Amino acid sequence: MAEKLIIFDTTLRDGEQSPGASMTKEEKLRIAKQLEKLRVDVIEAGFAASSNGDYEAVRAIAGAVKESIVCSLARANDRDIQRAFDAVEPAPRKRVHTFIATSALHMEKKLRMTPEQVHEQARLAVRYARNLIDDVEFSPEDGYRSDMDFLCRILETAIKEGATTINVPDTVGYAVPELYGHFMKTLRERIPNSDKAVWSVHCHNDLGMAVANSLAGVHIGGCRQVECTINGLGERAGNTSLEEVVMAVRTRRDFFKLDVGVDISQIVPTSRLVAGITGFVVQPNKAVVGANAFAHASGIHQDGVLKARDTYEIMKAEDVGWSANKIVLGKLSGRNAFKQRLQELGIELESEVEVNAAFQRFKDLADRKSDIFDEDIHALVSDQGVHHDSDEQYQLVSMAQHSETGEMPHASVTMIIDGKEATSESDGNGPVDATLKAIEAKANSGAELLLYSVNAITTGTESQGEVTVRLAKAGRIVNGVGADPDIVVASAKAYLNALNRLQSRARVNPQTGTP
Ligand code: KIV
Ligand code: ZN
């Protein structure tokens, strides 16, 4: 039997640290349930000490996930570790992951601590965690840029204190595959008690080598856990992409000789769910989950694929879940069929009132669009969560635009702002521009628009358009998402969603300590 490669998903923690990717508790819960369906081994559900909201989200995930290990990140201090433990406590399988920076640069400039102080703090942190829980992971942040002798000492201590997993991050994405692989191999060879822990890789993608570095850590370094995120979501250029690592190890099993427990048929549905919720759209040429990943545009390739699939295909689209794009419901589907589909998709609405509201929205959509796909259902539930909460400051009531060749487009938008109805109008160089200007004229947010993008949720011109709007204000960046068959309406929803998110609490980044 081959050894197993542990897949540690950190979409909900490291991925969420990406500016604009922050999610609500309900959104995180939906993703966690889907990650469990994907059968990842570990779900890093968040950084519980960051805020009450984060604590509640981790605890809700710990209460809902039964198969995967639920983990929370904690800085190397008693308060963070206790908070992390309390949050994961309801989970049948749980882990606390504690970290402290170990590179000379981070210790001196960020922590303002001597190496001896850092060493001692790591010892006490792991000891404290092990008194609470058996499964403890320790990470030396910026490990790859740390002094080898110091790293060996601190990791040996962490293992002596009972750390069961040692994870060595390339925090800034500086590594090169061969060097990182040999770095991990040297650590494991030099640390006398290294065989008492599982070794893990955690690579960032600043030089586009996160997946290659992780795989080198596995192949050369002998590591047996990979930390990764769906779609490679993460700060800056992102993290190691889960789907790429899993498919590389599966497709090249002849080389890696390792097993992964992931249910690969859930890869594409998970990718879509994460993209839909966060508004971080997947680039078309992204390996495995990009829209073009299995499209054979050139005539020569098409001919080859028609004659024998393996002439140009090393993986099958349907194996990773591309066939999931199927009609599931239509205009005549009843409430029970709709409810059952929600259940199959792992979507739990809190009350019958919410189910009724979602069903009504489904009916409205089915009146305008004959075939309803899983992706449409996910989008309408997300939409309901983010646009119909009566606590929200901005809600869309109705809108209209006029555009005609040779004339300046004009839009009128009626919204509820802080419980009061208001109508606003504006011209613009297109209907979307006019609509967003009309909203901003009333909202007066002063936010800067960093990104506007439209994506078709499924295929064909009947598809709903999914719009992402990224706004920045006072150092905060948020993404708003909206879906509708009318892309101007989707744009208004996305803009209002982003405005609402600007009002929500800021969370602390565990590594920089800033919101
Ligand atoms: O990149 C990093 O160093 C991290 C650690 C906190 C594990 O995410
Ligand atoms: Zn990281």
Side-chain angles (χ1 to χ4, degrees), residues 161-350:
E161 292 296 338
T164 43
T165 300
I166 295 292
N167 174 54
V168 182
D170 175 24
T171 302
V172 291
Y174 182 67
V176 171
E178 274 214 291
L179 299 181
Y180 184 73
H182 284 290
F183 190 81
M184 298 307 298
K185 184 167 186 274
T186 307
L187 283 172
R188 290 183 58 238
E189 284 170 356
R190 281 190 44 185
I191 296 174
N193 54 3
S194 66
D195 60 324
K196 305 265 182 314
V198 172
W199 287 75
S200 167
V201 293
H202 178 116
C203 299
H204 283 262
N205 202 33
D206 298 67
L207 292 173
M209 292 190 278
V211 170
N213 289 335
S214 299
L215 292 174
V218 169
H219 183 64
I220 303 173
C223 296
R224 290 296 175 260
Q225 175 176 285
V226 175
E227 302 203 349
C228 44
T229 61
I230 301 296
N231 301 336
L233 185 70
E235 283 180 280
R236 308 184 307 274
N239 282 63
T240 300
S241 143
L242 180 147
E243 56 281 1
E244 292 178 21
V245 166
V246 167
M247 290 316 292
V249 172
R250 287 250 327 198
T251 309
R252 297 307 311 268
R253 197 175 180 285
D254 60 315
F255 177 74
F256 290 105
K257 299 187 171 52
L258 291 169
D259 283 335
V260 279
V262 165
D263 175 358
I264 61 169
S265 70
Q266 293 299 322
I267 284 180
V268 169
T270 314
S271 161
R272 293 195 165 182
L273 182 66
V274 170
I277 285 179
T278 59
F280 278 75
V281 181
V282 175
Q283 76 197 52
N285 56 332
K286 166 90 170 63
V288 187
V289 293
N292 290 354
F294 293 91
H296 299 277
S298 109
I300 299 167
H301 288 199
Q302 278 174 6
D303 182 53
V305 171
L306 289 176
K307 285 180 180 142
R309 286 183 76 154
D310 53 5
T311 46
Y312 287 99
E313 270 188 18
I314 56 165
M315 299 170 270
K316 290 203 184 85
E318 58 271 29
D319 287 353
V320 293
W322 275 105
S323 55
N325 189 323
K326 59 182 186 292
I327 303 166
V328 289
L329 296 171
K331 200 175 167 151
L332 300 176
S333 306
R335 189 176 179 282
N336 280 346
F338 177 71
K339 223 176 141 177
Q340 189 183 335
R341 196 62 204 150
L342 287 180
Q343 241 168 29
E344 286 162 3
L345 291 173
I347 300 172
E348 274 170 36
L349 297 177
E350 276 176 14

Side-chain angles (χ1 to χ4, degrees), residues 3 62 69 81-82 113 244 274 361 435 442 464 493 501 514:
E3 277 183 76
I69 295 172
I81 294 169
Q82 186 67 50
M113 287 168 76
E244 292 178 21
V274 170
R361 292 169 64 71
T435 300
K442 263 287 179 261
Q464 291 199 81
K493 287 178 175 177
R501 284 180 188 249
T514 53

Side-chain angles (χ1 to χ4, degrees), residues 46-59 71-75 77-90 95-96 128 132:
F47 168 44
S50 155
S51 67
N52 288 341
D54 280 71
Y55 173 86
E56 292 303 336
V58 177
R59 202 166 157 90
C71 172
S72 171
L73 186 71
R75 287 168 296 201
N77 64 62
D78 296 359
R79 183 196 163 268
D80 267 32
I81 294 169
Q82 186 67 50
R83 199 84 177 131
F85 173 71
D86 292 345
V88 298
E89 208 271 327
R95 174 179 297 184
V96 168
Y128 188 89
L132 297 171

Side-chain angles (χ1 to χ4, degrees), residues 8 10 13-14 17 44 73-74 97-100 106 110 137-143 167-173 202-204 227 235-236 239 510-511:
F8 177 115
T10 183
R13 197 281 296 171
D14 216 345
Q17 282 174 220
E44 187 161 58
L73 186 71
H97 175 194
T98 186
F99 78 98
I100 190 163
H106 277 228
K110 183 177 96 165
E137 175 167 330
F138 175 74
S139 292
E141 188 194 4
D142 207 17
N167 174 54
V168 182
D170 175 24
T171 302
V172 291
H202 178 116
C203 299
H204 283 262
E227 302 203 349
E235 283 180 280
R236 308 184 307 274
N239 282 63
Q511 291 166 258

Side-chain angles (χ1 to χ4, degrees), residues 12 23 34 65 94 105 151 159 256 259 331 337 340 504:
L12 298 173
M23 300 167 228
Q34 180 59 33
V65 169
K94 42 190 165 267
L105 189 63
L151 204 52
I159 298 171
F256 290 105
D259 283 335
K331 200 175 167 151
Q340 189 183 335
S504 66

